[in-house]
Amino acid sequence: MASSTSAAAALIDEVRSELAPIDGKLASHPFVSALAAGEVPTASLERFAGEQHWIISSDRRSFAYLTARYADSAAGELFLGLTQGEGTALGHLGSFARWLGLDPGRLSEYEPTPGAHAYTAYVSWLALNGSATDVAVAFLANLAVWGANCGRAAAALRSEYGAGATAVAFFEFFATPAPGFEERALAVIEAGLRAGVSPARPRTAARLLQAYELMFWDTMMAAT
């Protein structure tokens, strides 16, 4: 088990190293910088809320499907936790929408843009076609960068836009790593590697998911 655990951790280290150029672009993204400077207009924040409604709603269904696919394994528990987390995030998104003066019940009427929707479409593809190892590697690599940007966004909304605790709860939820998530994800990856899963496909899944993450932020910036 120790060698498998080391192999799982080594794979994640390799993936994170490979994704470092994209992560750098995400960490210094112009949209987040504009938000920190108070230069993102309300209309762009409203678009952000609409896009996230589509993404979170879709991802919750994707994780629920993965939970059913892997119901009798540790992977099922990992994906159940992600499903529940998306449900919590959806509630917080409603608070952000209300702060913007939007009706949370009407966010589903928002028309998603292709560039912002590509991320969640690929998550749906992974739910149908990816292995548990593919998904665990991709999200272990992705969520840290997404969380860091959410933390920056929360701070900017508080300092530059006067947002309160409920308005930024969506961002702060993702900015705080879920307890035990990395350990559970590594266990799923470990099980996959021990079963003979090639590292090639998980690497591809992580690379594509991170590229679609960057596409989301680029789309938000282009519409600002």
Side-chain angles (χ1 to χ4, degrees):
M1 181 176 292
S3 62
S4 295
T5 301
S6 297
L11 175 58
I12 290 299
D13 287 343
E14 291 169 7
V15 167
R16 286 173 171 160
S17 178
E18 291 167 3
L19 295 179
I22 299 178
D23 290 354
K25 292 179 181 179
L26 287 164
S28 59
H29 200 277
F31 184 88
V32 182
S33 298
L35 197 61
E39 296 172 354
V40 174
T42 300
S44 293
L45 294 176
E46 291 173 351
R47 279 192 291 271
F48 187 97
E51 298 289 1
Q52 282 300 313
H53 176 81
W54 276 83
I55 291 169
I56 300 299
S57 299
S58 178
D59 285 359
R60 183 170 62 164
R61 288 189 290 271
S62 294
F63 291 139
Y65 182 77
L66 283 162
T67 301
R69 276 185 68 189
Y70 295 100
D72 298 324
S73 69
E77 291 298 317
L78 176 70
F79 300 137
L80 177 60
L82 288 172
T83 305
Q84 294 168 336
E86 296 298 283
T88 300
L90 202 57
H92 290 321
L93 184 63
S95 297
F96 177 60
R98 279 189 288 272
W99 176 72
L100 291 168
L102 302 174
D103 178 358
R106 303 191 66 177
L107 285 179
S108 60
E109 298 175 9
Y110 174 83
E111 289 291 333
T113 55
H117 197 66
Y119 175 97
T120 196
Y122 183 60
V123 175
S124 297
W125 187 93
L126 281 175
L128 289 171
N129 299 286
S131 70
T133 306
D134 296 340
V135 179
V137 169
F139 277 94
L140 192 50
N142 174 252
L143 287 180
V145 179
W146 163 247
N149 268 356
C150 281
R152 296 184 189 102
L157 288 167
R158 282 182 179 276
S159 65
E160 301 302 317
Y161 297 82
T166 57
V168 302
F170 172 83
F171 301 93
E172 292 185 340
F173 173 76
F174 283 114
T176 306
F181 171 74
E182 181 159 350
E183 292 77 11
R184 289 192 296 273
L186 283 171
V188 170
I189 297 164
E190 170 193 330
L193 294 175
R194 289 165 64 191
V197 170
S198 168
R201 282 188 60 131
R203 279 198 179 97
T204 297
R207 177 178 58 80
L208 288 175
L209 192 67
Q210 210 75 327
Y212 290 133
E213 171 84 17
L214 181 58
M215 188 182 294
F216 167 80
W217 291 104
D218 287 347
T219 300
M220 290 294 94
M221 187 61 196
T224 297

